[in-house]
Structures are given as C-alpha cells and as structure tokens.
Amino acid sequence: MKEETYEIFAIRYATRDARRGSHFIGGDPHDAPMPMDYFVWLVRNANRTVVVDTGFTAEMAAKRKRTFLRTPVEGLALLGVDATTVKDVVITHMHYDHVGTFFDFPAARFHLQDLEMNFATGRYMRHDRFNHGYEVEEVVGMVRLVFKDRVQFHAGAAELAPGLSVHHIGGHTMGLQCVRVATQRGWVVLASDCSHYYEHMEKGRVFPTTFHVGDTIEGYDRLRALAESPQHIIPGHDPLVMKRYPAPSKELEGVAVRLDVAPVG
C-alpha cells in the first residue's frame, strides 16, 4: 500500500509554572524555572483526520492548579476540525492530561495499548506513586467505551493507516505509546510523554513520574530509531516546541504550531 504523508499540528491548551528540580529523578542542581505546556496533536491529510490525545477540562485545570488556555475542542476548531466528526483518536496513555475530554469525540474509535488499560485498572493502581496521574472517572469512562466497542486495542506496533502507526514504548506508564507519522520532511515521531522535554531524551534523564526507568531510557533509543532524525522527535510538554516550529497563521501564534515542516529555531 502506498505511503501517505500528513500535516501535523501541536495545539497548546494549558500551561503551568514549575522549576527544574520537579522534572528530573534526583532533582537538579539548578533552581531555575522550567514551565510545562500541555498539548493535543492533530494529524491530517485529504483522506483522514486523526487526533492524538484529548487533554483535560477547565475543571481539571482548577483541581490540579494548571493554567487553562482553551479547550482542546476549541483549539481543534481553530484549525477547522469539528471534534464531533473525528473518527480516530489515539490515546498515548490514560493520564488525566491525555484522556480527559474523550467524551467530546462522540464518533471516535480510541486507539490504546492493551498494557495501558491493564496498568490503569490493575494492581499497581493501589499505589499513590502510580495512580496520582490518573482520574478514576476517566478510566471508568474508557472502560465503558470498551463495552460499546469504541476502543481499538493494540499490542506493540500497529499501522493505523498508510504512513501512520503507533508504537509501544512504556516507561512513564506501562502502556505508553508514541505515534509515527510520514510527512513531507520525513518521519516525525510524536513522543508524548516518552520524553516530556527535549532535555530528557538528549541527556538520558528521566521524569519523576515513571513506572519503569529502564524502559524510559531504552525508549529514547526507540524514538530515535523511528524518527527521520533526532530533530524529528516532538516531546510531550516542552514549551520549546512552540518556539522551534512555525504557527500555521499569524492568528494562531501561541496557540498552534506546524510540525511537518522544518523548524525555525
């Protein structure tokens, strides 16, 4: 089957202030600001539209003390996408900031790793260390979608369409997956939380909320093997993404950037 290429957009829907010490296992010797951005991603071409992750709500932002900028649905609408018509949504993992508005996609089939559902509903959720990133009602909501045959499970790598695939990485959560996309500039990998920041994969460091440190570090090599080059890997929460890539229009500066074109900085 002939490979297709896609446009990719990162849509910023929330942010929060933080410091370097909170983003690395073992802390960091430099007590400097290191803010965190929150994204959903849009992958599309003339044949299909796929959303990667669904973000969280304003209510969740208030609960977890995040700065809410817009709903993911509003961000998608600015790019001409009606969430109610989206047929495929990839959930990289079921943390609150990646699955929280799944109900805004009533026509979608959700693509999830078997191991992620096992993790989120299994023995490890007894422990605060692992359960604090999940919201019970969101996990239950996804289970309900399983019973409605709206969850497509994957075990490892799977092609969703020509030029578009998911790949199990693990580490941060047991079932974390990344998304590999063919574009005009080569293979781009949406790492999601396989690498929260560029610095994690570039320096071999690890975010504190992690199920398996070894899988996380090995995962950086897997990301590099899947991508056209290290510069084609997009981390899940780094504000530098908004600086390195161009906005699709002047009106969307600070809201969205296009990832299928060469970086600008």
Side-chain angles (χ1 to χ4, degrees):
M1 191 177 294
K2 187 177 180 181
E3 182 182 296
E4 300 179 19
T5 60
Y6 300 82
E7 298 177 330
I8 316 175
F9 302 88
I11 302 168
R12 179 173 174 257
Y13 70 90
T15 189
R16 73 178 174 95
D17 292 330
R19 304 192 74 79
R20 288 186 57 83
S22 64
H23 294 320
F24 302 99
I25 286 179
D28 192 83
H30 305 289
D31 184 25
M34 194 173 185
M36 176 177 281
D37 279 352
Y38 296 84
F39 301 98
V40 296
W41 298 272
L42 170 63
V43 179
R44 69 180 177 190
N45 64 14
N47 298 319
R48 60 187 56 86
T49 295
V50 177
V51 172
V52 178
D53 289 340
T54 67
F56 54 72
T57 64
E59 292 75 18
M60 189 58 61
K63 175 181 177 179
R64 295 201 178 230
K65 297 180 173 56
R66 288 9 179 184
T67 301
F68 197 68
L69 303 174
R70 61 194 56 84
T71 68
V73 166
E74 289 169 342
L76 288 164
L78 292 172
L79 288 164
V81 175
D82 178 357
T84 66
T85 68
V86 171
K87 295 293 193 290
D88 290 283
V89 175
V90 175
I91 300 296
T92 61
H93 60 303
M94 291 201 295
H95 276 174
Y96 77 96
D97 52 326
H98 295 264
V99 74
T101 73
F102 67 89
F103 45 78
D104 282 334
F105 298 82
R109 177 171 291 272
F110 294 87
H111 296 268
L112 188 71
Q113 288 286 324
D114 282 310
L115 284 174
E116 184 63 12
M117 182 62 80
N118 295 349
F119 185 55
T121 60
R123 64 188 300 128
Y124 293 105
M125 291 302 106
R126 298 176 299 138
H127 306 292
D128 290 343
R129 163 61 57 184
F130 302 127
N131 70 28
H132 73 272
Y134 294 89
E135 289 287 329
V136 172
E137 293 308 314
E138 293 169 1
V139 174
V140 170
M142 291 300 290
V143 172
R144 291 184 187 279
L145 291 181
V146 173
F147 280 79
K148 295 179 179 179
D149 192 25
R150 291 185 54 204
V151 177
Q152 177 68 54
F153 286 103
H154 302 288
E159 184 181 64
L160 306 187
L164 178 62
S165 55
V166 294
H167 301 262
H168 174 251
I169 301 293
H172 176 59
T173 72
M174 185 186 287
L176 175 64
Q177 61 185 345
C178 68
V179 183
R180 187 183 195 225
V181 187
T183 74
Q184 62 180 341
R185 74 179 183 109
W187 288 104
V188 170
V189 173
L190 299 176
S192 183
D193 290 5
C194 302
S195 185
H196 285 65
Y197 291 82
Y198 285 105
E199 188 171 345
H200 284 120
M201 56 186 168
E202 289 172 353
K203 295 186 178 180
R205 303 189 69 184
V206 178
F207 191 73
T209 301
T210 295
F211 174 65
H212 196 294
V213 172
D215 284 351
T216 299
I217 294 174
E218 288 287 309
Y220 300 151
D221 287 339
R222 180 69 172 141
L223 296 176
R224 285 187 278 266
L226 289 168
E228 195 77 18
S229 77
Q231 289 69 46
H232 287 71
I233 303 171
I234 310 300
H237 289 278
D238 201 324
L240 288 176
V241 171
M242 297 296 293
K243 297 179 179 179
R244 292 186 178 182
Y245 290 91
S249 68
K250 185 172 179 60
E251 292 73 24
L252 291 178
E253 288 182 0
V255 177
V257 291
R258 190 168 169 180
L259 305 173
D260 58 297
V261 298
V264 295

